[in-house]
Each structure stands twice: as C-alpha cells, then as structure tokens.
Amino acid sequence: MMILILGLVIFLGVHSVRIFAEDWRTAQRARVGEGRWKLAYSLASIIGLGLIVWGFGMARYQPVPLWSPPTAMRHVAALLTAVSFVLVAAAYVPRNSIKAGLHHPMILGVKLWAFAHLLANGTLADLVLFGSFLVWAIFCFRAARRRDRVGHIQYPAGTLRGTATAVLAGMAAWALFAFWLHRLLIGVQPFAWPPA
C-alpha cells in the first residue's frame, strides 16, 4: 500500500502545482526554461504513474475489503465511465459543444471515472486510489475555473461536427478499453466479448 500512496503523492503532487502554487510554477518555468520544466514534470509523472500501477497491482493480491458494492453498481459504473471517456475526448477535439459548455471536460472526466470506480469497488486500495483522484479532480476543477475567471478566458462555440467527433471518439476509446485493454492492462474484464 505504501508504494501506491507514494505514487499518488508524486503523480497528484506534480499535477497539483497549478492548484496550490501557480506563482511558484510560473517562476520556476521562467528560471529553468520551458523545456526543462516539461521534462522534469513528465519524468515525475511517469515515475508516479509507474508506482501507482505497481502499488495498486500489489494491493490487489492482498485486498482489504471495506464494503461489498451491489452488482448493479457495475452497470452504473460502466455507464459513467462511458461518459467520462467522452468528456476526456472532448478536451482534445476542436470546437465541440461539450468543451464550450464545460470548459474543462478532461478534469470532469477524471472526476466521473474516479466516482464510478468507487461505486463498483469496495477495497481499501480502491478507496485510496480512486478517492485520491476524485478529491484531486474536485480541487483541480475549482482552480481551473478560477483561472478562467481571472484571465477572462473565452471558449469557442462548438459545432455539430466537433461535438459528434468528440462523442464518437470517446465511445470508441471506451469500447476498446472496456472490452479489451482493461483486462490486458489492469487484469480485470468489465465485460466479456463476444458474449457467451
């Protein structure tokens, strides 16, 4: 569990600099240069993510049950994760109405992903992992909206094409992950395909 916690501290710590130390971040980027800052940021993120994956994998071998979610929560989680994938896709597809309306769909996608996994899983490792990401996403979204207000940021209006592309890309990525990659990378298969 300590490896999982260390990974979360590193990964979410790096991704929390803009939440708690925006001025320090700006000063450091100016001092060391954009390239070095991004390199250090990326390396810390990769190390943190690697520790999260390793630590969570180890914790799954000795689970500490906290509660037993009803089977129906798996179906709710599947629906919520599908929406979360669409939100993440909307962060990258230009001129879509989702980003125009929500402004920070990727953070909301992470929040929904974490919440969905908390509904469907009930071990201590699940609570630590997904609970940490949920709390981080709540604070990150508030900070991002605050920066938008201070900077008077305007988001371009979405188009039907951009919105449809975001939805289709998100659903395709969700299907690929739910039916194949989740088992390959995580060792858990949410759905069996083809169905028996």
Side-chain angles (χ1 to χ4, degrees):
M1 185 67 74
M2 290 307 298
I3 293 173
L4 172 60
I5 293 171
L6 178 61
L8 286 165
V9 168
I10 294 171
F11 186 84
L12 295 180
V14 168
H15 286 82
S16 297
V17 173
R18 291 198 78 184
I19 300 172
F20 301 107
E22 178 75 18
D23 293 340
W24 178 85
R25 173 182 177 270
T26 302
Q28 295 305 308
R29 288 175 67 182
R31 185 177 68 83
V32 302
E34 187 78 15
R36 284 185 178 177
W37 173 264
K38 286 184 176 179
L39 178 62
Y41 183 93
S42 298
L43 286 175
S45 297
I46 290 168
I47 290 168
L49 185 59
L51 289 171
I52 289 171
V53 171
W54 182 26
F56 188 70
M58 287 173 46
R60 285 180 51 220
Y61 286 110
Q62 294 179 324
V64 179
L66 298 178
W67 67 86
S68 183
T71 304
M73 287 298 103
R74 292 183 182 180
H75 303 294
V76 174
L79 175 62
L80 293 178
T81 54
V83 176
S84 75
F85 269 77
V86 171
L87 290 171
V88 172
Y92 297 100
V93 175
R95 298 188 65 88
N96 68 80
S97 298
I98 300 168
K99 186 169 184 175
L102 299 177
H103 301 173
H104 300 280
M106 183 172 194
I107 303 170
L108 291 173
V110 171
K111 188 188 295 188
L112 198 56
W113 166 84
F115 178 68
H117 281 78
L118 284 173
L119 290 178
N121 299 282
T123 70
L124 179 60
D126 295 316
L127 179 62
V128 170
L129 175 62
F130 301 116
S132 296
F133 270 93
L134 179 58
V135 170
W136 171 82
I138 290 168
F139 281 100
C140 189
F141 186 74
R142 289 177 58 192
R145 293 301 295 259
R146 189 182 321 115
R147 286 194 303 272
D148 286 353
R149 286 193 301 272
V150 170
H152 304 288
I153 305 297
Q154 298 293 321
Y155 290 84
T159 64
L160 180 59
R161 180 178 181 177
T163 305
T165 301
V167 171
L168 291 174
M171 290 304 296
W174 174 81
L176 180 66
F177 203 82
F179 291 105
W180 184 58
L181 287 178
H182 200 280
R183 180 178 182 183
L184 181 68
L185 299 174
I186 313 298
V188 176
Q189 185 166 358
F191 305 103
W193 189 263

